[in-house]
Amino acid sequence: MQQEQFLQSLWQVAQGSWDSGVLPSSENLARARSSIPQSLPDVGASLEFVQQHILGDIVPAFNGGSISPNYYGFITGGVTPAALFADNVVSAYDQNVQVHLPNHSIVTDVEYHALGLLADLLRLSRDRWHNGTFTTGATASNILGLACGREFVLQKAAERKGSQLGSVGEHGLFEVLQELGLSGVQVLSTLPHSSLVKAAGVLGIGRANVRNICRDDDPLQFDMEQLEQELQRTDKVSIVAISCGEVNTGRFATSGVEQLGRLRWLCDKYGAWLHADGAFGIFARTLDDKPEYATVKKGGYGIDIVDSITGDGHKLLNVPYDCGFFFSQHAELATQVFQNANAAYLSAGATDGPSIPSPLNIGIENSRRFRALPVYASLLYYGRDGYREMLERQIQLARAIYQWIFDSPAYIALPEANSKAELVDQTFMSVLFRAKDDALNQELAKRINETSQMFVSGSSWDGAPATRIAISNWRVDVVRDTALVTGVLAQVAQT
Ligand SMILES: *Cc1c(COP(=O)(O)O)cnc(C)c1O
């Protein structure tokens, strides 16, 4: 009971108004830093002491990242009340979601069904897409996507050559490439997120083998001719990765079924794997048919013809860190890459109902946190309509800010648009801009963040500094936050 009361009071702190600014004060940071012991004490302290230390010294030096609706750095999301509740249950009961043991615990069933509910939210048909896993984030999901892709494209190459040696999971990348007379695997994309490049580094593909195949007039769109030339190469096999939501602009690399159909056709023709990094962009699929969202909705249209999809839970789904998800249309491939070999005692018992894979055979970890429970809780709490309404508020705020910037003498909206209508039409939940005055622009993000009323990320666009406002918190209030953001921007431009 004491435990419950304690958690209750913590939640009130977390859910209450965050009035200490989006960044901690330098005094609070210094105090917290000096309170950290420099070595492990021989004798432990009381629980009360530890709690007071954490709440009194450490917590005041946190930032408002997820708590404040005005923290627009990175793409941080927040924590919905239902997710917060469930996450505390996860810690309190500390279940290990590792092996599907249906007579021992319900947790693998809940995780499996949470993935199904998520597929419903994202309008991915369960027939083809109820397969995948929860991860620590989109980076891990991109590792899964490229790992499955690597396995697939090399198995295809082995088939073409009539070789039995195509599985990287079994034989290793070096032996397989040598057997097939190939020099490597390449990843073809347009403005991919840095984590995709990292994934290539981890998987032996190599960061240098992630290539931008961009059109000259639009760096987010594939140059289809160049893409086909790369796919035709006989020394390399390829994975094509779609930026389903580019992290600077929030815009999409594809716009509809026709373009995706062409990508699918090319990948099938040349035995390539088609992956979509939809960390935040995949949520465009939650929008309905309102005309004002038609253009952004197109960014997610047809994406379900790819082979694998990366998504983030701790961004637009607003569940706590860390949580991502991975969907794949090829159930068997994940097992070929990630199977936990020779552990017969870990095999699942047979049951009625759906055949639920043991998470340890289809993802990176063996022991795993029950991070699907906050997802499950939040999906039940909001339903399809609640999540759509949340995203609409985020988009509306981004559009209101962009309109103000477009009219402002001090700022330029990026990418540069011909008209306000065009800009608004293309805007998802990100705002990219810079100051016209170069001196101000050099330190724009810093100046905005110094107000501590809101937090933005510094970025770059077309070779010059740019500032990004990424809107992803469930607590967005369009009127209140438009006033706050434009007020801060006006104030920064004047000083
Ligand atoms: C944030 C992001 C990632 C990385 O996600 P993490 O959850 O930080 O691992 C990957 N791709 C895109 C497009 C992103 O926005």
Side-chain angles (χ1 to χ4, degrees):
M1 197 57 211
Q2 226 181 349
Q3 182 82 355
E4 258 170 49
Q5 278 167 359
F6 175 68
L7 283 179
Q8 201 66 41
S9 66
L10 256 191
W11 297 343
Q12 274 158 10
V13 173
Q15 294 301 311
S17 65
W18 179 262
D19 49 16
S20 45
V22 293
L23 292 183
S25 67
S26 51
E27 297 80 50
N28 284 352
L29 278 169
R31 197 160 56 79
R33 235 165 237 132
S34 66
S35 75
I36 300 171
Q38 298 300 302
S39 62
L40 180 68
D42 289 331
V43 181
S46 68
L47 185 58
E48 285 71 28
F49 173 87
V50 174
Q51 288 175 342
Q52 268 168 23
H53 167 56
I54 288 179
L55 290 177
D57 299 328
I58 304 293
V59 170
F62 285 173
N63 67 43
S66 281
I67 302 295
S68 162
N70 303 115
Y71 186 97
Y72 305 116
F74 309 95
I75 303 177
T76 310
V79 182
T80 69
L84 182 62
F85 165 78
D87 201 59
N88 282 288
V89 171
V90 169
S91 290
Y93 288 88
D94 197 28
Q95 302 285 292
N96 186 2
V97 193
Q98 178 191 48
V99 185
H100 179 51
L101 294 167
N103 299 323
H104 297 193
S105 174
I106 196 68
V107 292
T108 42
D109 289 71
V110 174
E111 176 163 323
Y112 178 78
H113 288 290
L115 200 67
L117 297 174
L118 198 49
D120 293 346
L121 178 74
L122 302 172
R123 303 179 204 276
L124 298 168
S125 87
R126 287 202 186 200
D127 292 351
R128 288 183 295 136
W129 285 103
H130 196 176
N131 174 60
T133 193
F134 286 94
T135 66
T136 51
T139 302
S141 299
N142 278 337
I143 290 175
L144 262 57
L146 294 195
C148 289
R150 186 186 64 175
E151 188 74 13
F152 178 86
V153 295
L154 286 165
Q155 287 190 14
K156 283 271 174 212
E159 265 171 40
R160 286 196 297 274
K161 212 180 167 222
S163 166
Q164 298 296 315
L165 211 86
S167 171
V168 176
E170 195 59 31
H171 302 288
L173 186 59
F174 185 75
E175 276 184 30
V176 170
L177 289 175
Q178 218 178 20
E179 161 77 7
L180 302 177
L182 293 166
S183 70
V185 181
Q186 62 178 354
V187 179
L188 309 171
S189 188
T190 62
L191 305 185
H193 188 267
S194 56
S195 65
L196 198 82
V197 184
K198 179 184 201 160
V202 170
L203 291 165
I205 292 171
R207 291 185 290 272
N209 289 311
V210 180
R211 315 249 325 273
N212 260 302
I213 309 293
C214 304
R215 252 168 52 182
D216 290 337
D217 59 338
D218 183 347
L220 195 45
Q221 301 237 351
F222 280 103
D223 177 331
M224 296 301 272
E225 258 175 53
Q226 201 196 339
L227 183 67
E228 181 155 15
Q229 278 169 16
E230 287 296 333
L231 291 170
Q232 279 170 345
R233 283 174 71 153
T234 51
D235 59 332
K236 293 207 170 178
V237 282
S238 304
I239 296 167
V240 176
I242 298 170
S243 298
C244 182
E246 189 276 325
V247 75
N248 277 298
T249 57
R251 294 190 184 180
F252 297 85
T254 62
S255 56
V257 187
E258 205 177 309
Q259 213 175 354
L260 274 154
R262 176 85 185 142
L263 282 171
R264 177 77 269 172
W265 184 80
L266 282 174
C267 287
D268 289 345
K269 183 169 175 195
Y270 297 105
W273 178 268
L274 189 53
H275 173 71
D277 180 356
F280 62 89
I282 195 71
F283 288 87
R285 292 176 64 88
T286 63
L287 294 167
D288 63 13
D289 288 333
K290 292 194 188 76
E292 62 263 45
Y293 303 123
T295 300
V296 283
K297 200 182 159 193
K298 260 193 188 163
Y301 262 164
I303 210 77
D304 52 333
I305 62 164
V306 301
D307 295 298
S308 57
I309 296 175
T310 280
D312 240 327
H314 50 227
K315 290 180 180 167
L316 297 194
L317 200 64
N318 276 264
V319 300
Y321 291 109
D322 35 27
C323 181
F325 51 89
F326 175 69
F327 284 108
S328 164
Q329 294 217 50
H330 306 260
E332 69 300 340
L333 272 173
T335 314
Q336 284 161 21
V337 179
F338 294 104
Q339 63 184 271
N340 193 57
N342 302 328
Y345 68 97
L346 296 176
S347 69
T351 44
D352 307 334
S355 89
I356 297 177
S358 284
L360 91 169
N361 282 325
I362 57 170
I364 295 169
E365 301 92 353
N366 279 10
S367 299
R368 291 161 78 247
R369 181 176 176 79
F370 191 12
R371 61 174 63 84
L373 193 67
V375 172
Y376 178 77
S378 209
L379 285 170
L380 292 186
Y381 178 64
Y382 283 98
R384 184 187 295 288
D385 290 348
Y387 267 111
R388 186 188 60 239
E389 185 275 331
M390 188 193 297
L391 180 60
E392 286 180 358
R393 270 187 286 129
Q394 293 163 346
I395 296 173
Q396 283 161 17
L397 175 59
R399 291 178 173 187
I401 298 169
Y402 251 142
Q403 295 193 54
W404 184 91
I405 288 173
F406 192 89
D407 290 335
S408 151
Y411 298 107
I412 306 172
L414 300 171
E416 282 189 62
N418 295 319
S419 72
K420 210 174 1 178
E422 178 194 312
L423 185 66
V424 164
D425 188 50
Q426 302 233 14
T427 299
F428 191 40
M429 32 48 77
S430 277
V431 177
L432 191 70
F433 65 107
R434 69 167 60 105
K436 287 184 184 164
D437 178 76
D438 192 51
L440 174 60
N441 194 47
Q442 292 296 331
E443 51 178 34
L444 184 57
K446 182 167 155 271
R447 293 273 296 279
I448 292 170
N449 295 340
E450 275 167 5
T451 68
S452 209
Q453 293 184 62
M454 59 186 264
F455 185 92
V456 296
S457 287
S459 184
S460 79
W461 189 252
D462 270 348
T467 296
R468 192 192 61 175
I469 296 173
I471 298 158
S472 57
N473 196 284
W474 63 280
R475 294 171 71 200
V476 163
D477 176 314
V478 179
V479 174
R480 176 198 67 196
D481 298 335
T482 304
L484 184 138
V485 171
T486 57
V488 168
L489 295 185
Q491 178 197 327
V492 165
Q494 266 165 22
T495 49

